[in-house]
Amino acid sequence: MSETQEKPALMTRPIPAPVVNVESQPFWDAAREGRFLIKRCVPCGKAHWYPRAICPFCMSGETVWEESPGEGVIYSYSVMHRSPTGPYAIGYVTLDEGPAVLTNFVGVAPDGLTIGQRVNVRFQDTEGGPPVPVFAPA
Amino acid sequence: MSIKGKAYIMGAYEHPLRDAPDKSTPQLHAECARGALEDAGLTKDDVDGFFCAGDAPGFGALSMIDYMGLKNVRHMDSTETGGSSYIVHVGHAAQAIAAGKCQVALITLAGRPRQQKGGGGRGGGGGEPAPEAGFENIYGGSTHNTYGMCAMRHMYEYGTTSEQLAWIKVAASHHAQWNEHAFLKNVVTVEEVVNSRMISDPLHLLDCCVVTDGGGALIVTSPEVARSLNRPKVKVMGAGEAPKGPRGGLDLDLTHSGAVWSGPRAFAEAGVTPADMKYASIYDSFTITVLMQLEDLGFCEKGQGGRFVADGNLISGVGKLPFNTDGGGLCNNHPTNRGGITKVIEAVRQLRGEAHPKVQVPNCDLAIAHGTGGSLGTRHGSATVILEREA
């Protein structure tokens, strides 16, 4: 028997290729370059998530892509234990720009997450699709 | 135009099966429809309004109207708000009746999720992926972990505990022991709930509802038709509905449900308050669903739900607010992963005095049936109806 205590495994989760459409294509093109984009409305000035061509706050069609450092805090999370590929964490990150982003948390043990914890974005490869944003403790 | 007193629920039927390997989904819909019509004392030719949601196969209302041979339908509604659809339908049926669009409305739900893994009808999609799909569906969201996020945040903000959530399952199990059809009939303790296997933090196995086949149906009629029938009359007093979602990510708030809007609308229309309710049917996909909805409907202050449900307060004959006296989705059934219709059915039983004697609320004359559909952690619909027994 080993004397060393086993370190809890860090969570990862295989992620399928995302649906990409003409509206979201620029996001995924940037993701392939490791850049995280969010959408901001020019007239009302508000950033939103998930990205839309039409602003969900004022309905303006004048929305622009903006590069984000992808930093924020965990709003909530839940670790799913009933999974064939091991436990994985889903949760919302409140970006410093304001919007909350649904995501997976990676590179952390199942008991290593807390609400309010600072996290930042990284990109994870998918099966045959563009890489997708996931978050890990900062 | 208010619907208060403009329509009556005169027929209700819950399919007795919890496993239906030998029946088709349309067959279950039709058996439920037949059961509700017989309960009301009506025939299918009396039906002139038909309501169904995304669980109905094929072309939904069109396919089912044809399958059942309903030849006098002049009003159709397939509003799809997940498991709350059928509570929405009660309100819509009352509106249609009040507007003279129909006199006998049939609402059906049926499905076989135990035979078709993951087969709970979602509906409303039209084949195109949801607009959020590329940015959300990839993360392995399920009902368990999205509701888990709600529970996690509720615990963080209000100090709610797993033991408090467990009381909701304990109460449901106390009721289910008297229901011969209940999928789970064993009475459980708080300790058994919190010691059951963790599914998605902080929700344990026994915080989750059952998955069953089956279905249910309701008949909503005009006052004129109601008076002609030899059945206790359950009057629709008020209805409210509301959608809720992250709204661009700036309004994410997982500790509140759409009940904060649908509830007050229904209470205002009925002219009553939560304190007047003798019985509550509350959609119980998970224990946290019940706790949040009780708060949002005004049965207690926000954040006090844990204290409110503790110590058996939801157990009929024991606590202040008897809930889900059939055992609910947590113990009785959850046909096609959509519980809205069963909430209305048990409320009707209570108001008629036809609930099991061990759980029947004495002099039950005013009840609420409420539900959410979709996902509490992302986008959901909320629906509330207030029902009154007419002497």
Side-chain angles (χ1 to χ4, degrees):
Chain A
M1 246 171 84
S2 167
E3 293 287 311
T4 57
Q5 205 170 359
E6 203 175 322
K7 223 178 144 192
L10 302 184
M11 288 184 287
T12 58
R13 176 178 164 268
I15 296 182
V19 173
V20 177
N21 65 21
V22 64
E23 193 180 350
S24 63
Q25 186 71 51
F27 177 88
W28 300 110
D29 290 344
R32 288 188 193 277
E33 298 167 2
R35 295 185 301 125
F36 180 63
L37 302 185
I38 60 174
K39 258 295 177 80
R40 189 178 293 277
C41 174
V42 175
C44 82
K46 290 179 181 165
H48 67 260
W49 186 268
Y50 61 97
R52 273 155 268 194
I54 307 295
C55 173
F57 305 113
C58 73
M59 233 176 180
S60 164
E62 205 184 335
T63 58
V64 292
W65 294 101
E66 171 181 298
E67 189 160 343
S68 163
E71 295 172 2
V73 298
I74 297 178
Y75 171 83
S76 194
Y77 68 94
S78 182
V79 176
M80 170 59 88
H81 294 266
R82 206 182 55 172
S83 158
T85 54
Y88 67 92
I90 196 169
Y92 279 105
V93 172
T94 307
L95 296 175
D96 292 344
E97 292 89 344
V101 172
L102 186 71
T103 191
N104 285 147
F105 297 109
V106 300
V108 58
D111 61 356
L113 294 167
T114 52
I115 289 176
Q117 190 174 6
R118 278 203 74 78
V119 291
N120 54 32
V121 75
R122 57 181 70 175
F123 283 93
Q124 182 178 323
D125 287 338
T126 60
E127 187 74 25
V132 301
V134 293
F135 285 75
Chain B
M1 180 176 61
S2 171
I3 60 163
K4 184 177 178 179
K6 304 268 176 63
Y8 291 78
I9 300 179
M10 295 303 296
Y13 181 79
E14 179 182 305
H15 206 287
L17 288 186
R18 301 295 179 259
D19 265 302
D22 303 324
K23 291 180 187 290
S24 75
T25 298
Q27 184 181 0
L28 290 170
H29 271 272
E31 287 180 356
C32 291
R34 188 177 58 196
L37 283 166
E38 282 172 359
D39 181 52
L42 292 165
T43 73
K44 75 181 179 71
D45 290 347
D46 296 313
V47 174
D48 59 357
F50 182 68
F51 295 70
C52 67
D55 59 274
F59 259 113
L62 296 181
S63 293
M64 289 315 306
I65 287 166
D66 179 61
Y67 178 94
M68 294 191 281
L70 304 177
K71 58 187 185 191
N72 295 322
V73 171
R74 57 192 176 108
H75 186 82
M76 294 176 287
D77 184 335
S78 335
T79 300
E80 168 57 43
T81 63
S84 61
S85 301
Y86 321 90
I87 300 175
V88 170
H89 293 164
V90 171
H92 287 194
Q95 290 162 15
I97 289 165
K101 300 293 183 187
C102 60
Q103 285 211 76
V104 175
L106 166 65
I107 304 166
T108 68
L109 160 142
R112 308 161 69 242
R114 296 187 69 78
Q115 319 306 321
Q116 308 155 318
K117 291 295 172 205
R122 291 263 171 200
E128 178 106 356
E132 70 275 11
F135 296 96
E136 294 189 5
N137 296 11
I138 50 179
Y139 295 115
S142 69
T143 48
H144 304 83
N145 58 13
T146 50
Y147 283 70
M149 288 192 290
C150 296
M152 190 69 84
R153 185 74 196 187
H154 202 281
M155 289 177 167
Y156 173 82
E157 286 194 27
Y158 301 113
T160 306
T161 67
S162 289
E163 286 75 14
Q164 290 171 334
L165 288 178
W167 271 108
I168 297 166
K169 177 76 161 198
V170 169
S173 76
H174 269 268
H175 299 148
Q177 66 179 313
W178 308 110
N179 180 352
E180 61 173 318
H181 299 301
F183 191 77
L184 302 176
K185 293 191 206 44
N186 57 319
V187 176
V188 299
T189 64
V190 167
E191 290 68 33
E192 284 171 314
V193 178
V194 299
N195 290 328
S196 65
R197 183 162 55 92
M198 187 64 83
I199 299 295
S200 198
D201 298 286
L203 299 177
H204 305 83
L205 178 67
L206 295 186
D207 286 300
C208 308
C209 68
V210 300
V211 174
T212 64
D213 301 341
L218 297 165
I219 304 289
V220 186
T221 80
S222 66
E224 183 188 16
V225 172
R227 279 192 294 270
S228 74
L229 300 172
N230 188 27
R231 287 296 272 147
K233 288 196 275 299
V234 173
K235 185 156 58 174
V236 181
M237 296 291 284
E241 61 191 65
K244 189 172 185 292
R247 295 197 284 189
L250 290 193
D251 279 334
L252 182 71
D253 168 12
L254 296 188
T255 61
H256 288 79
S257 72
V260 293
W261 301 301
S262 71
R265 284 168 194 156
F267 283 121
E269 189 165 46
V272 295
T273 70
D276 298 322
M277 295 300 113
K278 302 279 182 62
Y279 166 78
S281 274
I282 307 288
Y283 198 173
D284 52 350
S285 48
F286 297 91
T287 51
I288 184 64
T289 323
V290 176
L291 185 132
M292 281 175 54
Q293 291 171 118
L294 288 172
E295 293 175 342
D296 294 340
L297 291 168
F299 286 101
C300 61
E301 291 292 312
K302 192 69 197 171
Q304 296 298 308
R307 287 177 186 82
F308 184 80
V309 302
D311 303 321
N313 199 37
L314 301 178
I315 300 176
S316 188
V318 174
K320 202 162 66 176
L321 185 69
F323 102 124
N324 297 8
T325 43
D326 59 338
L330 288 169
C331 296
N332 176 24
N333 65 345
H334 193 217
T336 198
N337 304 324
R338 292 166 160 248
I341 208 160
T342 56
K343 298 290 131 334
V344 181
I345 293 169
E346 182 67 358
V348 168
R349 289 193 194 107
Q350 280 286 350
L351 291 166
R352 287 174 169 178
E354 294 175 353
H356 191 284
K358 293 284 191 184
V359 297
Q360 175 69 49
V361 176
N363 190 29
C364 186
D365 54 3
L366 201 54
I368 183 172
H370 172 83
T372 59
S375 172
L376 207 52
T378 56
R379 294 160 194 85
H380 65 271
S382 179
T384 313
V385 292
I386 309 293
L387 305 174
E388 186 182 54
R389 181 185 68 203
E390 189 167 284

